[in-house]
Amino acid sequence: MAYVPGTALLAALVVGCSASTGTGGSAPDSKPGEATVAAAAPGKYRTLPDPCRAVAPSTLKDLLPGAAELPEDQQKKVYEGAATVTYDTDRRVGCRWKSEAPDSSRTLFIDFERVVSYDPSVSDDDRAREVYAKKENAAGLSSSSAAPSSTKDTEKQAPPSSDSASHALSGPASEDGNADEPTGGSPDENGSEGSDSGTDGSAGSADESLLPRTLDNLGDGAFLDDLPTRAGSTAQNRTVSVVFRTSNVIVTVEYTEQPTVSTVLPDSKELQDMAQSLARQLVDKFSE
């Protein structure tokens, strides 16, 4: 029987234990990548601001003519707005205002939607980008990253403006039912609609700058839609929508004017300018 010195025996035992430990420690790595997949980044925004408090009082006075002439208690009610009913205020909120003036009524609606991805491999921002792209496509516009705005305006000019008027507004616009009848620029049977669209209080269909289009320097992507629609059988109204994305939040601004006289069409340029101005104020608010 061979004699093994105590020191040598101890060293052999240590080596054996180390080898065994090393083998055991490598077990969790037996399926490479399984435990090292990083979840996609969450969105920048975890909450949404109160939409009825998101618009400055001075801006509301400009957007809602006629309200300033009302008694103080009625003014307060108009400027407070009415919150829309949603199932989850952490995910979606909205507010609506309406004012009546002798020559027309104005309605303002804003909607904030916080997009959350439930797929750990897809970030909230990427999911929001997909949702926004669907809204942009529904408006008949291509992605703002594909071509400059001037090119898109030319593309929109190829089919008459009836093309843009024929599609329904995406998002909350459907609540007003203002996108049901295509009337912008395509002559109807009596020809009245076509002549209206050419004299809409601005440059009409000849002004390419007023066509539905993508917008630059507004959030992470934005577009404008402009639809004249027949309200019942008495008057023509116009709804301008500005939709933009900032990180994982999509904001919709809808601004509608309905004249009291059926032969008068709203000024498209005025409505577009005011809707865009408000949208830029809102994107700044999200950046605070």
Side-chain angles (χ1 to χ4, degrees):
M1 180 173 181
Y3 173 75
V4 179
T7 303
L9 176 60
L10 178 62
L13 291 173
V14 170
V15 170
C17 292
S18 299
S20 175
T21 303
T23 303
S26 65
D29 296 329
S30 59
K31 295 180 180 180
E34 184 177 66
T36 59
V37 174
K44 178 180 179 180
Y45 302 105
R46 302 298 184 90
T47 59
L48 292 170
D50 182 347
C52 292
R53 296 176 179 269
V55 185
S58 58
T59 302
L60 286 174
K61 290 180 180 179
D62 292 337
L63 292 168
L64 303 171
E69 283 70 43
L70 296 172
E72 186 174 348
D73 59 333
Q74 295 182 37
Q75 281 189 44
K76 183 179 179 181
K77 185 175 181 180
V78 169
Y79 293 140
E80 282 179 349
T84 55
V85 178
T86 61
Y87 294 104
D88 186 351
T89 54
D90 283 336
R91 292 287 304 277
R92 193 163 198 167
V93 291
C95 193
R96 188 181 302 275
W97 298 261
K98 185 173 183 178
S99 68
E100 303 281 351
D103 57 343
S104 67
S105 65
R106 303 278 181 111
T107 302
L108 172 66
F109 175 74
I110 61 175
D111 177 85
F112 302 154
E113 179 182 1
R114 186 173 69 90
V115 179
V116 177
S117 172
Y118 294 103
D119 184 344
S121 66
V122 179
S123 69
D124 292 347
D125 276 21
D126 286 343
R127 178 60 182 146
R129 190 177 291 108
E130 293 174 2
V131 174
Y132 168 80
K134 289 180 180 179
K135 292 178 179 289
E136 192 178 70
N137 291 336
L141 299 168
S142 56
S143 174
S144 56
S145 62
S149 296
S150 58
T151 303
K152 292 180 179 58
D153 290 345
T154 303
E155 291 171 353
K156 290 299 294 179
Q157 185 186 17
S161 58
S162 59
D163 213 28
S164 61
S166 62
H167 64 77
L169 282 174
S170 59
S174 59
E175 294 178 4
D176 293 333
N178 290 338
D180 295 332
E181 187 174 351
T183 58
S186 61
D188 62 4
E189 294 178 358
N190 58 23
S192 60
E193 301 287 349
S195 60
D196 283 348
S197 65
T199 56
D200 63 355
S202 60
S205 58
D207 192 341
E208 296 177 24
S209 66
L210 298 179
L211 293 173
R213 60 197 180 277
T214 56
L215 302 173
D216 296 326
N217 304 316
L218 180 56
D220 299 316
F223 69 88
L224 179 147
D225 204 359
D226 187 340
L227 287 178
T229 56
R230 178 68 63 183
S233 59
T234 57
Q236 181 105 353
N237 64 356
R238 181 180 291 274
T239 296
V240 170
S241 300
V242 176
V243 180
F244 69 85
R245 180 182 71 85
T246 173
S247 185
N248 62 315
V249 170
I250 297 174
V251 176
T252 300
V253 175
E254 292 178 1
Y255 189 40
T256 302
E257 180 181 3
Q258 181 171 329
T260 55
V261 180
S262 61
T263 56
V264 175
L265 276 176
D267 186 332
S268 184
K269 185 178 187 306
E270 177 193 2
L271 296 179
Q272 289 192 20
D273 288 346
M274 298 180 81
Q276 288 186 77
S277 177
L278 174 57
R280 296 187 188 282
Q281 291 179 38
L282 292 175
V283 78
D284 289 341
K285 189 172 187 66
F286 274 92
S287 301
E288 292 176 354

